[in-house]
Amino acid sequence: MRPLHEYEAEKAPGLDENDAICATLAWHDGDARAAIATLLADCAHLRRQLELTRAAMGRGFTRGWEPTALRE
């Protein structure tokens, strides 16, 4: 599943998606399972941070909009 366009990180000039994948695998010494585990842990951390932010935000601050952890 590809991320939605608005959630894609900006890429540095001259780098493509494969460079980011190769860099991630290299960081984990070529262990794809470790790379996936790290990405899942990062995703879980960001979801927790989003939930904390959502609980702390006032509804007037966002004019009624609330962030969600799920894609629409």
Side-chain angles (χ1 to χ4, degrees), residues 38-72:
T38 299
L39 293 170
L40 289 172
D42 287 349
C43 184
H45 170 74
L46 292 172
R47 286 178 185 261
R48 282 191 300 274
Q49 294 295 308
L50 179 61
E51 198 56 39
L52 289 171
T53 302
R54 186 170 162 243
M57 273 181 7
R59 292 195 42 90
F61 178 72
T62 60
R63 297 183 185 190
W65 176 83
E66 286 188 11
T68 62
L70 301 176
R71 293 183 190 173
E72 295 176 359

Side-chain angles (χ1 to χ4, degrees), residues 4-36:
L4 298 174
H5 177 69
E6 61 266 20
Y7 295 111
E8 291 184 355
E10 291 184 26
K11 295 178 178 75
L15 296 179
D16 65 8
E17 184 176 296
N18 290 328
D19 292 335
I21 294 168
C22 289
T24 302
L25 286 172
W27 180 263
H28 292 88
D29 298 322
D31 185 352
R33 291 181 63 87
I36 292 170

